[in-house]
Amino acid sequence: MTTGGSQLANHILLVGFMGSGKSTVGCELARMTGRPLIDTDDVIERMAGKAIPEIFAGEGEEGFRERECECLLRIADEQPSIVSCGGGIVTTETCRELLGRLGFTVFLEVDAGEAVERIGASPERPLLKGVDEMRALLAQRLPWYREVADLRIDTSGREPAAIADEIIAALRERGVL
Ligand code: S3P
């Protein structure tokens, strides 16, 4: 997939591991900024007409990742929004490159133990396993989260509203809002 090279949009994008709070913090940010909230998992399910576990079962993880890239390209045309991204979106180079051109990316940091605690059992997340597997997956992805991040926020033990406040303050300081 070729994606060109210029800035495509002015979104605020949230990345981070499953359970890092992207959806809840995204809701808070949308409420506080008055911007629409876009959830890449929801967009993919709508476009596919299938739930995520079905996509993984039929097309494998690779098929799902291709759909994530298509989704990012599609939201380039949307008005400036808050975009909550699926936890594995950083695993493909095309998506990482697109994130850089879609706006300002905030990495919500969480440790694997707290992430698993927050999510609990979740049949809609095909890659969710035990804490040890999650720790290994997070370690593998950390360099990619850091690569795409314009801002890193520690979410450990914190409430979504406090995290959203900190993000808004940081975005104002940087002239993004
Ligand atoms: C995934 C995370 C999920 C979803 C899919 C794959 C991952 O999104 O995109 O199950 O690879 O980490 P959340 O991070 O919103 O749970």
Side-chain angles (χ1 to χ4, degrees), residues 65-119:
R65 300 298 168 209
E66 272 172 34
R67 287 183 180 275
E68 283 188 311
C69 294
E70 280 164 27
C71 169
L72 285 184
L73 272 176
R74 179 165 290 220
I75 66 173
D77 297 329
E78 299 290 333
Q79 63 175 290
S81 303
I82 308 295
V83 184
S84 169
C85 299
I89 207 155
V90 295
T91 58
T92 42
E93 196 181 345
T94 309
C95 284
R96 292 199 297 278
E97 197 255 330
L98 278 170
L99 286 169
R101 296 168 49 220
L102 283 170
F104 190 90
T105 301
V106 182
F107 168 30
L108 300 184
E109 298 184 280
V110 67
D111 78 69
E114 187 165 339
V116 170
E117 228 170 75
R118 282 185 198 169
I119 302 170

Side-chain angles (χ1 to χ4, degrees), residues 18 22 41 52 56 64-65 68 86-88 125-127 141:
M18 291 173 262
K22 298 173 302 255
D41 287 342
I52 289 174
F56 269 78
F64 179 74
R65 300 298 168 209
E68 283 188 311
R125 289 180 170 94
L127 295 182
R141 291 178 177 178

